[in-house]
Amino acid sequence: MPNMHDKRPITITPDIPVLIAGPTASGKSALALHIAQTQGGRIVNADALQVFNGWRLLTARPGPDDLAVAEHALYGHVPFDQPYSAGHWLRDVAPLLEQSIRPIIVGGTGLNFNALTKGLAEIPATPDALRAQANKLDLKRLLSDLDAQTRSRIDTQNRARVQRAWEVLSNTGRSLAEWQDTTPPPLLPLENATAITLEAPKDWLDVRITRRFDQMLDQGALDEAAAMLPDWNPDYLSSKAIGATELIAHLKGQMSLDEARTAAIIASRQYAKRQRTWFRSRHKDWRQLQIATADISATFRFRDGPSN
């Protein structure tokens, strides 16, 4: 197991896939671009919300400048009103692993990385009627039906994860933990990739979260919300984009813009805290990079030059 305080340079080899995980606003996309520019490769999205074609600004999807620098995949390719799971993502990413272009897989959704490197059980899809029933239940009720083993494996503060576990149990009669224990082999075992988790101090990250949300507002996030307002449905997975609920509430006259901004920043910081907890618990076999003090030129050793 790597030492979390290991200061040795991380070796990046052109033909080896790179995985970059970390909390929101920690600089994952910038690092992926740096590697792609230095050595080549295709940047592949592993974020659960950046897959949707709505909320480009609020989900921090790559903009035109980034897309011009390196090839990107699995960004904005799913209609905003459609469901999308780790299973969907795994099926979408599978053919990209078989192509000649080295993938640089980046995102903040731990479940996607877990599915990729440890495998994912083929759980039957949840019927619409059951999902509608689950949508009406509060978090406490959903949790009360889950077994202790399943509760120990999920973020019990993340309603989407808890509801998913409840739906699996209700639909199949088997707990999520049971399904996970019969998981098939992974598409990309961890030993076949360079896996990096960005670790950032809370105070440093809080400043970046605030600055980034203000930049989103400056770039037109409120206009983006206005464009989404006619089709707004809080039950869509894409509506979980942090800031979406708050900006929609502002447009509906339910809160001021300052109140919406403050609420969105707080929600983003809370989400980052949950992400840090997840990665510290689940990514003990990944190289940990203290991003707040990292000197990129000294942190990475690029082997064999650029990849063509």
Side-chain angles (χ1 to χ4, degrees):
M1 179 182 301
N3 185 332
M4 288 188 64
H5 302 290
D6 190 348
K7 302 300 183 183
R8 292 174 301 165
I10 300 172
T11 300
I12 306 292
T13 305
D15 57 347
I16 301 297
V18 178
L19 311 180
I20 303 172
T24 186
S26 59
K28 300 182 296 295
S29 295
L31 176 56
L33 275 175
H34 177 78
I35 294 173
Q37 286 181 287
T38 304
Q39 203 176 54
R42 175 194 287 135
I43 298 173
V44 180
N45 172 43
D47 184 274
L49 292 175
Q50 289 183 335
V51 300
F52 293 108
N53 64 5
W55 303 114
R56 183 186 72 81
L57 289 171
L58 283 187
T59 61
R61 284 207 329 256
D65 291 344
D66 291 343
L67 297 177
V69 169
E71 183 178 353
H72 289 67
L74 305 189
Y75 288 92
H77 69 296
V78 179
F80 69 87
D81 59 351
Q82 297 299 304
Y84 195 81
S85 66
H88 289 103
W89 179 80
L90 210 57
R91 286 188 286 274
D92 285 344
V93 81
L96 300 178
L97 300 178
E98 299 172 358
Q99 296 176 10
S100 60
I101 304 175
R102 184 267 300 273
I104 303 168
I105 305 175
V106 56
T109 302
L111 189 60
N112 283 348
F113 284 115
N114 203 62
L116 178 67
T117 62
K118 297 182 180 179
L120 184 70
E122 292 293 331
I123 303 173
T126 301
D128 291 341
L130 183 62
R131 175 151 296 144
Q133 178 185 349
N135 287 340
K136 297 176 182 178
L137 300 178
D138 62 30
L139 182 63
K140 183 177 179 180
R141 169 60 199 281
L142 293 170
L143 275 171
S144 68
D145 289 342
L146 302 183
D147 61 290
Q149 191 171 23
T150 295
R151 290 198 300 269
S152 71
R153 296 184 185 184
I154 63 174
D155 177 359
T156 56
Q157 299 302 310
N158 185 323
R159 181 188 166 85
R161 301 288 178 245
V162 174
Q163 180 169 327
R164 171 60 175 161
W166 185 92
E167 290 171 356
V168 168
L169 176 62
S170 300
N171 185 39
T172 69
R174 298 174 61 193
S175 71
L176 181 62
E178 289 181 77
W179 280 101
Q180 290 173 341
D181 289 341
T182 57
T183 299
L187 288 179
L188 182 60
L190 200 59
E191 58 267 25
N192 294 342
T194 301
I196 305 163
T197 300
L198 304 189
E199 174 66 23
K202 176 184 179 299
D203 291 344
W204 181 87
L205 196 60
D206 283 351
V207 171
R208 286 176 60 90
I209 286 171
T210 298
R211 184 168 64 241
R212 188 173 72 166
F213 192 76
D214 286 339
Q215 289 172 344
M216 289 174 177
L217 289 174
D218 290 341
Q219 292 166 3
L222 196 56
D223 292 334
E224 182 175 75
M228 296 292 289
L229 181 58
D231 298 307
W232 170 253
N233 184 332
D235 292 333
Y236 292 156
L237 179 57
S238 66
S239 298
K240 308 306 179 187
I242 295 175
T245 297
E246 293 80 5
L247 292 184
I248 292 292
H250 165 66
L251 291 173
K252 289 182 174 182
Q254 297 168 354
M255 62 172 61
S256 70
L257 182 56
D258 281 346
E259 290 171 335
R261 171 186 176 273
T262 298
I265 290 171
I266 290 172
S268 189
R269 290 175 177 176
Q270 292 171 337
Y271 177 54
K273 180 180 179 180
R274 295 195 298 272
Q275 288 177 301
R276 290 197 302 271
T277 299
W278 169 283
F279 293 130
R280 286 170 182 169
S281 172
R282 308 298 181 92
H283 284 194
K284 294 178 180 178
D285 292 331
W286 293 48
R287 286 293 299 271
Q288 309 294 321
L289 175 58
Q290 298 291 332
I291 195 65
T293 58
D295 175 358
I296 293 297
S297 62
T299 299
F300 297 98
R301 179 170 55 240
F302 293 96
R303 179 176 293 169
D304 296 335
S307 174
N308 295 321

